[in-house]
């Protein structure tokens, strides 16, 4: 149950009117937090807009702007202004005090007896969830991102301690019994608002999925299996390397390879040698003319060790055992029970319909590759290692010869793009980004910028930490982390300053509601290169711009999904709904009206010629059908791996891989490879990998229908933005996701979901 709160659910709903009975407590809290703000003048907003660009684009300006927080003259206020996190050991104290608070809350729920107490159970359990997430979400971020090894180690320890405790709570029968009694008693549940009802139903279902109704011995076994899944998943990701470390061939066979790379990796004996999983390997796969070399390299890149396959199969078998303990036929059934798809059959209906829509695009792209291959006198059929190579050849024919590859990036300095995002959100939703100086110890690296998110009516509504520049110890993968969700802070918490929830992180009064909320706190992580010198900004490729828009789509969901209960806040929604806002945002990155808001040359201030963007988009669309087929195949493989198959004694992940790819793939894969050993998304998205394709299909439909594909200024239309916010974003996970999709598209056939609705979404396709 509590694990699901962390990763699978993000539910929203109405505001609890019962909380309005504490005006005096709220008024005193306003004085303490001091977060009411005046309406900014035009000059103020212009200054904030200019500052936003300069804190990212001008190194001297940033150093001066943030000098006081990095001077070392002030004592630390704590990471994220959390008063516990002034030093690594604080993580352990934070976790211990949170556990004590949780134990107190659990006892209060178990001892609930009066009608009034039962009415408060959804909020008690939400506070319990919020308390756990305060440590687990921040610890998960710190262990992955913080450069200080001591902070990392403390975060890992605090996470492990609370993770075990959380699994115990998941299998505590008394908690489920009390919640079930409250939900089934009409006198009690009828007094709940929509949000409280949603939370109660979500948690009850999560309890049931945790084998809580089983005898004590079986419950302990469930906890043990859950810990095994966590361990095996981590092991699988750590071992995700090719079975062969290096690939070697004679430089005489390297025609077509990038000359710079060829010189770098050629030995004195004329042998080309590079690591199999390196950038050089993938570059060679897409450029070396010799098909035999490419084929051998492809097989090396796609093959892992037997121990990696053993780990994968053990992980899948353990999940299958968890599903069986929980009363499901397969792990996919368990995983999909609270998703939009609901059943494996519905997922397959979606994927089958999508494959049918995509098939003509695949055949068209393959025909172009075949024609080029025949033209060059190369033999057929088209092999898997031909795809990237010939797609690069086709793109070379399309690419303009008159411009340097990096010319477009001159219009996309990082500061200008951040400025553009702020302007776009102001147009669509009435919110903007305002740079704020950080306090001592508030961030984990001197290059992290803090932006306060300000709404035109509500004032300060969220905090966004931007860690966007590369550094040696940092993962290159872009990511959005929710460090803390929105939640209404009750009068009891306001008066009780001993509660750990008063940890110092951002809170603010909602002017329209007259209530105190903890603000969504978000970290956005990218790996953009530093500027070459102090006089130049960091310039982004168009792909980088799309990545930043994508991750900001997650952030806007967290920002606008402001709720009174954190279980249903922001991105805590079904996995197959969570990517909708982020995928949709990619469309805005290519929209002419949106780009006209900000894209200007960093030196001349000339506006971006839009035809340069259309050229890049045309190149990106080439090969989209084959790329989509790859994602469909991975989604089908994910379903097969989480079907009843792993329960069989003779289960073989490689056999299943070939069965799926031979049946559904257009191009035959070589035998004796093991690409499934690199399928890292199986760890986090077991049974739900289809979600990205599913949300791409919905996002495309929303872009075409609601935002009119950008025609007539649709990409900056406030009415369209408000519709998306009112029907989708503000609800997070508090409203049925099918109701959200049905509402924003005005399509009543989708409201109840089911197999037919999944099939209809598949028919929309994912091609632009």
């Amino acid at each position: 149950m509590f694990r699901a709160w962390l990763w699978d659910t993000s539910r929203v709903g109405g505001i609890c009117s019962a909380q309005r009975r504490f005006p005096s407590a709220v008024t005193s809290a306003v004085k303490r937090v001091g977060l009411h703000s005046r309406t900014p003048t035009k000059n103020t907003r212009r200054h904030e807009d200019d500052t936003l660009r300069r804190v990212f684009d001008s190194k001297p300006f940033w150093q001066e702007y943030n000098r006081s927080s990095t001077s070392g003259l002030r004592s630390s206020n704590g990471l994220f202004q959390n008063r516990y996190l002034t030093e690594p050991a604080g993580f352990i104290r934070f976790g211990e005090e949170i556990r004590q608070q949780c134990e107190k809350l659990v006892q209060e729920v178990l001892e609930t007896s009066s009608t009034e107490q039962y009415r408060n159970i959804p909020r008690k359990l939400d506070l319990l969830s919020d308390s756990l997430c305060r440590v687990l979400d921040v610890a998960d971020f710190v262990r992955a991102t913080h450069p200080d090894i001591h902070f990392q180690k403390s975060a890992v320890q605090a996470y492990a301690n609370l993770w075990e405790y959380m699994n115990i709570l998941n299998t505590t029968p008394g908690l489920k019994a009390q919640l079930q009694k409250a939900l089934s008693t009409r006198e009690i549940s009828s007094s709940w608002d929509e949000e409280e009802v949603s939370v109660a139903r979500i948690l009850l279902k999560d309890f049931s999925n945790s084998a809580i109704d089983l005898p004590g011995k079986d419950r302990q076994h469930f906890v043990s299996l859950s810990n095994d899944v966590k361990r095996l998943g981590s092991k699988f990701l750590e071992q995700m390397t090719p079975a062969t470390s290096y690939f070697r061939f004679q430089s005489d066979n390297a025609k077509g390879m990038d000359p710079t790379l060829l010189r770098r990796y050629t030995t004195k004996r004329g042998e080309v040698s590079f690591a199999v999983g390196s950038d050089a390997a993938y570059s060679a796969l897409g450029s070396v003319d010799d098909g035999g070399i490419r084929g051998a390299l492809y097989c090396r890149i796609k093959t892992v060790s037997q121990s990696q396959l053993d780990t994968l199969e053990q992980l899948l078998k353990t999940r299958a055992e968890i599903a069986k303990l929980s009363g499901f036929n397969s792990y996919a059934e368990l995983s999909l029970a609270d998703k939009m798809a609901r059943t494996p059959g519905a997922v397959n209906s979606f994927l089958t319909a999508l494959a049918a829509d995509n098939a003509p695009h695949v055949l068209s792209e393959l025909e172009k590759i075949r024609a080029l291959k025949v033209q060059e006198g190369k033999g057929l059929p088209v092999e898997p290692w031909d795809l990237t190579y010939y797609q690069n050849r086709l793109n070379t024919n399309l690419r303009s010869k008159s411009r340097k590859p990096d010319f477009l990036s001159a219009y996309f300095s990082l500061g200008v793009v951040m400025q553009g995002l702020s302007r776009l959100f102001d147009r669509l939703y009435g919110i903007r980004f305002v740079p704020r100086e950080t306090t001592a110890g508030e961030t984990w690296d001197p290059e992290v910028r803090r932006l306060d998110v300000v709404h035109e009516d509500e004032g300060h509504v969220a905090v966004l930490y931007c860690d966007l520049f590369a550094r040696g110890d940092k993962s290159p993968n872009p990511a959005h982390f929710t460090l803390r969700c929105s939640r209404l802070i009750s009068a009891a918490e306001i008066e009780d300053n001993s509660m750990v929830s008063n940890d110092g992180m951002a809170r603010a009064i909602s002017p329209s509601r007259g209530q105190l909320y903890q603000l969504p706190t978000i970290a956005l992580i990218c790996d953009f290169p530093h500027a070459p010198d102090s006089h130049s900004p960091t310039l982004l490729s168009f792909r980088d711009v799309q990545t930043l828009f994508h991750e900001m789509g997650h952030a806007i969901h967290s920002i606008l999904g402001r709720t009174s209960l954190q279980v249903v806040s922001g991105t805590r929604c079904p996995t197959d709904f969570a990517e909708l806002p982020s995928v949709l945002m990619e469309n805005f990155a290519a929209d002419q009206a949106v780009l006209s808001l900000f894209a200007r040359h960093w030196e001349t201030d000339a506006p971006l010629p839009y035809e340069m963007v259309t050229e890049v988009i045309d190149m990106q669309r080439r090969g989209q059908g084959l790329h989509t087929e790859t994602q469909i195949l991975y989604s089908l493989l994910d379903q097969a791996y989480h079907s009843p198959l792993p329960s069989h004694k003779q289960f073989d992940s490689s056999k299943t891989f070939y069965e799926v790819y031979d049946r559904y793939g257009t191009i035959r894969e070589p035998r004796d490879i093991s690409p499934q050993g690199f399928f890292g998304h199986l760890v986090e998205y077991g049974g739900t990998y289809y979600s990205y394709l599913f949300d791409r299909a919905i996002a495309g439909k929303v872009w075409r229908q609601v935002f009119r594909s950008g025609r007539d200024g649709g990409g900056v239309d406030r009415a369209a933005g408000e519709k998306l916010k009112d029907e989708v974003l503000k609800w997070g996970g508090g409203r049925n996701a099918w109701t959200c999709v049905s509402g924003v598209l005005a399509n009543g056939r989708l409201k109840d979901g089911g197999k037919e609705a999944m099939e209809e979404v598949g028919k929309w396709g994912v091609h632009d």
Side-chain angles (χ1 to χ4, degrees):
M1 177 184 72
F2 292 95
R3 174 58 175 157
W5 300 356
L6 288 174
W7 308 116
D8 280 350
T9 53
S10 58
R11 324 278 175 179
V12 187
I15 303 303
C16 179
S17 59
Q19 297 296 331
R20 296 185 181 275
R21 64 181 74 150
F22 305 113
S24 61
V26 171
T27 302
S28 62
V30 174
K31 295 177 182 178
R32 289 201 296 272
V33 298
L35 287 169
H36 278 309
S37 59
R38 300 170 182 170
T39 303
T41 65
K42 286 186 178 180
N43 286 338
T44 299
R45 292 192 59 160
R46 190 179 299 115
H47 173 72
E48 291 171 348
D49 185 62
D50 182 61
T51 301
L52 176 60
R53 176 182 60 81
R54 296 177 73 189
V55 295
F56 288 100
D57 275 358
S58 172
K59 189 170 184 178
F61 181 87
W62 166 246
Q63 290 173 337
E64 179 64 29
Y65 182 87
N66 207 43
R67 175 181 293 179
S68 61
S69 69
T70 57
S71 65
L73 300 177
R74 294 185 295 169
S75 59
S76 172
N77 288 332
L79 193 62
F80 316 118
Q81 294 190 336
N82 184 312
R83 58 189 172 89
Y84 290 89
L85 304 183
T86 58
E87 59 180 354
F91 245 123
I92 307 304
R93 292 195 300 273
F94 189 34
E96 289 171 349
E97 291 196 29
I98 282 288
R99 176 159 181 164
Q100 292 172 14
Q101 178 172 300
C102 289
E103 289 171 346
K104 179 181 176 182
L105 288 168
V106 168
Q107 197 60 33
E108 289 175 3
V109 173
L110 294 177
E111 293 176 354
T112 291
S113 58
S114 70
T115 299
E116 188 61 32
Q117 288 173 328
Y118 274 108
R119 285 194 178 110
N120 202 36
I121 275 186
R123 293 190 176 273
K124 284 281 187 183
L125 291 177
D126 183 76
L127 180 56
L128 179 59
S129 169
D130 181 70
S131 299
L132 291 167
C133 290
R134 280 176 184 279
V135 178
L136 293 169
D137 286 350
V138 172
D140 186 55
F141 169 79
V142 168
R143 65 181 182 172
T145 308
H146 203 293
D148 187 330
I149 188 65
H150 302 293
F151 260 106
Q152 291 178 23
K153 288 181 177 179
S154 291
V156 167
Q157 185 178 343
Y159 188 98
N161 292 343
L162 271 191
W163 176 267
E164 184 177 353
Y165 175 64
M166 183 177 64
N167 278 332
I168 294 172
L169 295 181
N170 286 346
T171 53
T172 301
L175 292 175
K176 180 191 176 185
Q178 291 288 64
L179 177 59
Q180 196 165 31
K181 182 176 179 179
L183 187 59
S184 61
T185 303
R186 181 166 178 75
E187 178 187 0
I188 295 168
S189 59
S190 62
S191 68
W192 293 342
D193 63 24
E194 182 179 1
E195 192 174 328
E196 290 169 319
V197 171
S198 295
V199 167
R201 288 175 177 167
I202 291 163
L203 301 186
L204 191 62
K205 179 177 288 188
D206 290 337
F207 269 129
S208 298
N209 289 351
S210 296
I212 200 167
D213 296 320
L214 296 176
K217 185 177 180 180
D218 288 338
R219 288 201 306 274
Q220 289 300 317
H221 186 43
F222 181 91
V223 171
S224 176
L225 290 172
S226 297
N227 290 332
D228 287 344
V229 165
K230 186 71 176 174
R231 174 182 57 81
L232 290 166
S234 297
K235 183 179 179 181
F236 180 75
L237 294 175
E238 290 167 3
Q239 293 181 167
M240 211 160 56
T241 55
T244 305
S245 298
Y246 284 89
F247 184 75
R248 298 178 176 88
F249 63 100
Q250 292 300 309
S251 59
D252 293 345
N253 298 321
K255 183 181 178 182
M257 189 173 174
D258 183 303
T260 302
L261 289 177
L262 184 59
R263 286 193 297 271
R264 183 183 305 169
Y265 292 102
T266 301
T267 67
K268 293 179 179 179
R269 293 177 297 176
E271 184 180 65
V272 181
S273 176
F274 46 70
V276 172
S278 66
D279 290 342
Y282 286 97
S283 176
L285 187 64
S287 62
V288 171
D289 292 341
D290 190 318
I293 297 296
R294 293 199 314 274
L297 177 57
Y298 179 88
C299 290
R300 298 284 183 88
I301 288 174
K302 297 289 184 177
T303 303
V304 297
S305 66
Q306 184 59 48
S307 64
Q308 174 72 337
L309 296 182
D310 292 342
T311 299
L312 172 61
E313 290 167 11
Q314 191 177 356
L315 171 65
L316 298 175
K317 286 177 179 290
T318 305
R319 282 178 170 168
E321 191 173 354
I322 284 177
K324 186 176 180 181
L325 265 179
S326 301
F328 292 89
N329 292 322
S330 67
Y331 189 82
E333 277 193 10
L334 186 157
S335 178
L336 294 170
D338 59 351
K339 308 300 187 296
M340 292 181 74
R342 299 177 191 162
T343 67
V347 173
N348 286 325
S349 291
F350 162 71
L351 293 172
T352 300
L354 182 61
D357 176 86
N358 190 58
H361 301 278
V362 172
L363 295 177
S364 174
E365 290 166 14
L366 281 178
E367 186 54 40
K368 292 175 183 176
I369 291 175
R370 286 192 187 99
L372 184 55
K373 198 171 183 184
V374 169
Q375 180 182 329
E376 295 182 346
K378 304 291 177 65
L380 295 176
V382 174
E383 302 287 1
W385 47 87
D386 290 332
L387 299 180
T388 303
Y389 172 76
Y390 282 103
Q391 196 61 61
N392 287 342
R393 297 284 303 279
L394 291 167
N395 282 344
T396 299
N397 296 336
L398 178 67
R399 187 179 293 112
S400 171
K401 302 286 194 301
S402 63
R403 299 187 180 110
K404 296 179 181 179
D406 62 347
F407 189 73
L408 184 60
S409 66
Y411 295 85
F412 294 124
S413 71
L414 177 56
V416 161
V417 176
M418 293 299 295
Q419 192 179 50
L421 283 161
S422 181
R423 291 173 179 178
L424 173 62
F425 291 152
D426 190 27
R427 292 283 190 98
L428 294 177
Y429 312 117
I431 66 170
R432 67 189 193 282
F433 299 148
V434 179
R436 177 172 171 177
E437 182 184 357
T438 56
T439 61
E442 182 177 350
T443 64
W444 53 100
D445 186 88
E447 292 296 329
V448 176
R449 277 71 164 164
R450 170 175 169 163
L451 305 179
D452 282 357
V453 185
V454 179
H455 186 269
E456 59 191 10
D457 297 321
E458 290 292 300
H460 190 199
V461 295
V463 175
L464 178 63
Y465 292 101
C466 298
D467 184 359
L468 305 183
F469 294 103
R471 57 176 178 269
D473 57 348
K474 186 179 180 183
S475 168
N477 299 318
H480 158 277
F481 288 86
T482 301
L483 304 172
R484 193 184 62 178
C485 287
S486 168
R487 185 178 65 86
L488 174 66
I489 300 176
S490 70
E493 291 178 76
I494 294 171
E495 295 303 324
D496 184 2
N497 280 316
S498 66
M499 293 194 70
V500 185
S501 55
N502 298 325
D503 55 22
M505 293 177 71
R507 304 188 293 176
I509 297 293
S510 165
S512 65
R513 301 166 182 173
Q515 298 168 308
L516 181 64
Y517 279 74
Q518 64 183 34
L519 299 186
T521 302
I522 303 152
L524 202 64
I525 310 299
C526 290
D527 194 48
F528 301 139
H530 288 270
D533 56 64
S534 62
H535 303 294
S536 306
T538 288
L539 301 179
L540 305 184
S541 68
F542 188 66
R543 180 65 73 186
D544 289 337
V545 174
Q546 291 173 310
T547 295
L548 192 51
F549 270 64
H550 177 97
E551 296 304 330
M552 201 62 79
H554 287 303
I556 202 66
H557 200 184
S558 294
I559 291 164
L560 294 180
R562 297 183 69 206
T563 60
S564 67
L565 295 175
Q566 76 90 30
V567 167
V568 294
S569 173
T571 56
R572 297 207 195 284
C573 59
T575 306
D576 50 4
F577 189 54
E579 290 291 334
L580 173 57
S582 56
V583 175
L584 178 61
M585 273 297 295
E586 294 176 23
N587 292 283
F588 291 91
D591 180 68
Q592 187 170 7
V594 173
L595 291 172
S596 70
L597 294 176
F598 67 94
R600 307 186 76 84
H601 197 283
W602 75 275
E603 287 182 300
T604 68
D605 201 41
L608 170 70
Y610 188 66
E611 61 270 16
M612 293 174 61
V613 177
T614 59
E615 182 180 288
V616 173
I617 293 171
D618 286 343
M619 283 192 291
Q620 288 182 348
R621 286 174 177 168
R622 286 200 170 198
Q624 189 179 61
L626 286 163
H627 173 73
T628 298
E629 181 178 78
T630 298
Q631 297 304 307
I632 291 171
L633 289 170
Y634 271 125
S635 299
L636 289 166
L637 184 63
D638 171 49
Q639 290 299 301
Y641 280 167
H642 293 97
S643 71
L645 284 174
S647 298
H648 301 163
K649 188 175 181 180
Q650 301 303 319
F651 172 68
D652 183 334
S653 66
S654 293
K655 179 183 177 183
T656 302
F657 168 82
Y658 284 113
E659 286 173 349
V660 169
Y661 274 65
D662 288 349
R663 180 177 179 183
Y664 298 104
T666 305
I667 298 177
R668 181 178 171 84
E669 290 287 345
R671 306 297 102 168
D672 300 323
I673 60 173
S674 48
Q676 71 271 28
F678 297 102
F679 195 0
H681 285 90
L682 286 172
V683 174
E684 189 172 346
Y685 294 97
T688 62
Y689 186 75
Y690 69 92
S691 299
Y692 180 70
L693 285 173
F694 183 66
D695 285 341
R696 274 187 68 195
I698 297 174
K701 186 74 168 177
V702 171
W703 177 247
R704 294 189 296 272
Q705 184 172 318
V706 179
F707 293 94
R708 305 186 299 278
S709 296
R711 292 187 301 274
D712 302 319
V716 293
D717 181 18
R718 181 62 176 266
E722 289 293 330
K723 184 172 186 179
L724 180 67
K725 181 183 73 174
D726 290 342
E727 296 291 350
V728 176
L729 297 175
K730 79 174 186 180
W731 297 98
R735 175 192 267 187
N736 181 281
W738 282 112
T739 303
C740 292
V741 174
S742 172
V744 76
L745 294 175
N747 185 343
R749 296 191 310 276
L750 301 174
K751 189 172 183 179
D752 296 326
K755 193 173 181 179
E756 292 76 15
M758 293 287 292
E759 185 175 345
E760 180 172 346
V761 174
K763 290 177 180 177
W764 295 342
V766 296
H767 44 85
D768 298 323

